[in-house]
Amino acid sequence: MSKSVAAASGHALWAKMPKANAELFALTYGSLVTELIRDYDSIEEINEQLEKMGYSIGVRCVDEFLAKSEQHGMTVPTCQNLKDTAEVVAKTGFRMFLGISCDVTMAPDGNAFSLFMYENPLALFVELPKTNDMPTAAGGATKKWEDLKYSNLYCGILRGSLEQINLRVSCEYIRDVLQGEEVNEIRVTLREVLQDGAGDDYKEE
Amino acid sequence: MAAPSSSGASVNSQQGSVASGAGNNGAAGDKPSSASSNHNLKSPAPATAAATAPGTNSKASAGQQQQKQPITHVSESAMDFLLTEVLHWVESNCKKIAKEQNLAQSEESQILAAEISAARLERMGYSVGFRLCERLAQNKSIGSSSSQNQQQQSQQDASQAVAASQLEAVKFLCKEFWMEVFRKQIDKLQTNHRGVFVLKDLELKWLARLPANQETARVAAIQLLAFPCGLVRGALANLGIPAVVSCDFLADGQNMAACSFNIKIK
């Protein structure tokens, strides 16, 4: 039941959000990744940078999400468990910001879920080079393109936004269409449910 | 280049122009994200989707989830977030570079860092503008019909024709291109018909939220404006017009979002 509610809110919010050109979005991200590749020597550093950037976007994203949904009169029901959270993220959140919808599969133990994305607005027009080496600036180790997680930004966004609602998670990109798979898969694993972080100062006296 | 309206033919023209775009980009030197056609989208005509009005496409993508619609839009806040991150990263990266090269006094290294960050943003803007213009200009024919007539006429008319086609290109920039990027058109265009253009935008969306009358906001705005400068330079380069673009910040205390771009054609 919650699935269709989340999907319906997603569609409705998407219709009301002001839009920007997706090609511009993809090209900006592409030029950012190009600059990162110019700067950093190892692919791991690039992936890490992308995740960090995603983290700071995610921190602000969740506020935007809650504010916009309230502004348009759409109440997001409180999530009772990780499954509900996953549904809301995939159906409402992704649709509202990116106009795409994702599928969610829960892990059997209920502590993790996988997001499947069939379209990726960040990766429009992108192809990764087939050859495994590329001349690097400093003449360091050759880079292997199969290790590059091009859309690692999403992982950071998920981690950042879920941390703001007290769920500490780790996200990982499992399958990537750019690497030749059929679907983009992100695995989100719940590590810890955080306590409310306000601390003793804010407790009533 | 004029593209016929049937979808099969327009896909061919898209691939033709994309190949030339990829060729140019190879010369420009960046490798990984080449502007080649996306093999993953199943629907055959992203080119025509880009040319049609935004409103209909968002409805189409919301309505049908079964067949793959090309993605034409994301939400504006997603674009804003991405831009903010880009700026933030460029700035923090340049601070890092400045610290590494901090042999001289801090003043010099700060100026160097600012210049590096501006150059970097401009370079990013160039590649984005070049490719975006490629996509947006696919269905437009700019001055091609008039150039054929001018060939038999005298030298003086030829330079006028060049100026006229340049003006057409800049007008395309001010209208369609600006509309796609900033959701509005340029407010004022001035030219001296000899290769200098001034584009004034009185309400640039990216600058609209800056607090008025603060020096840090001014500095931030000038840094941010490097990206649109690159966008303009890239778009013009794609239309075959090499130019030098600089920008001025016209804010007068109340309206922090006014700026002007000066284009000088080489």
Side-chain angles (χ1 to χ4, degrees), chain A residues 4-16 74 91-93 95-96:
Chain A
S4 56
V5 167
S9 330
H11 281 292
L13 280 172
W14 170 242
K16 294 190 188 164
M74 220 133 320
K91 298 281 190 275
T92 318
R95 177 153 287 275
M96 175 177 149

Side-chain angles (χ1 to χ4, degrees), chain A residues 11 14 17-23 28 31 35-36 39 49 56-57 60 64 97 101 119 125 127 177, chain B residues 32 34 36 39-40 62 65 69 72-77 85 89 93 120 123-124 127-128 135 180 183:
Chain A
H11 281 292
W14 170 242
M17 295 287 281
K19 313 279 192 314
N21 190 322
E23 293 170 4
T28 309
S31 59
E35 289 290 323
L36 281 173
D39 269 355
Q49 272 299 316
S56 50
I57 292 182
R60 280 173 281 142
E64 174 93 13
F97 285 110
S101 81
E119 311 160 304
F125 309 132
E127 257 184 24
V177 172
Chain B
S34 61
S36 44
H39 302 304
N40 303 315
Q65 273 176 303
Q69 296 287 330
T72 51
H73 290 88
V74 293
S75 73
E76 212 171 78
S77 31
E85 268 325 293
W89 177 77
N93 206 18
R120 186 168 254 180
R123 183 169 62 194
M124 287 173 68
S127 80
V128 175
R135 293 283 299 169
E180 279 299 313
R183 314 247 100 199

Side-chain angles (χ1 to χ4, degrees), chain B residues 21-221:
Chain B
N24 290 340
N25 292 332
D30 33 44
K31 302 282 179 256
S33 322
S34 61
S36 44
S37 48
N38 189 353
H39 302 304
N40 303 315
L41 289 180
K42 291 223 182 98
S43 67
T48 52
T52 53
T56 52
N57 278 324
S58 62
K59 275 190 230 142
S61 58
Q64 295 149 2
Q65 273 176 303
Q66 308 312 89
Q67 70 190 93
K68 292 242 182 87
Q69 296 287 330
I71 303 174
T72 51
H73 290 88
V74 293
S75 73
E76 212 171 78
S77 31
M79 185 68 214
D80 280 340
F81 282 142
L82 183 63
L83 259 174
T84 317
E85 268 325 293
V86 166
L87 288 173
H88 186 72
W89 177 77
V90 168
E91 206 181 307
S92 66
N93 206 18
C94 289
K95 281 203 192 121
K96 200 174 70 154
I97 294 181
K99 254 199 305 188
E100 283 168 10
Q101 295 180 355
N102 198 0
L103 308 168
Q105 313 108 350
S106 60
E107 186 65 44
E108 263 190 37
S109 66
Q110 271 190 19
I111 295 179
L112 181 65
E115 282 184 7
I116 293 179
S117 62
R120 186 168 254 180
L121 266 178
E122 213 265 353
R123 183 169 62 194
M124 287 173 68
Y126 179 84
S127 80
V128 175
F130 191 88
R131 292 164 187 177
L132 195 60
C133 189
E134 177 87 30
R135 293 283 299 169
L136 294 175
Q138 271 174 348
N139 295 331
K140 309 275 175 225
S141 64
I142 301 183
S144 58
S145 51
S146 56
S147 63
Q148 286 170 6
N149 296 336
Q150 303 286 354
Q151 276 182 15
Q152 297 139 10
Q153 301 189 6
S154 64
Q155 192 64 266
Q156 198 179 16
D157 284 343
S159 70
Q160 276 181 2
V162 165
S165 70
Q166 283 176 358
L167 181 59
E168 281 237 20
V170 175
K171 280 202 314 206
F172 165 76
L173 185 69
C174 296
K175 291 190 185 157
E176 276 96 358
F177 189 82
W178 220 254
M179 185 60 113
E180 279 299 313
V181 180
F182 296 109
R183 314 247 100 199
K184 60 183 284 283
Q185 298 183 356
I186 287 272
D187 294 314
K188 256 198 242 180
L189 169 64
Q190 294 162 329
T191 174
N192 71 352
H193 293 286
R194 270 188 216 85
V196 178
F197 298 87
V198 179
L199 278 59
K200 287 204 171 80
D201 191 337
L202 301 173
E203 187 71 40
L204 200 66
K205 224 165 28 123
W206 296 349
L207 300 177
R209 302 266 168 83
L210 287 173
N213 271 336
Q214 281 185 22
E215 191 53 39
T216 49
R218 223 191 154 74
V219 167

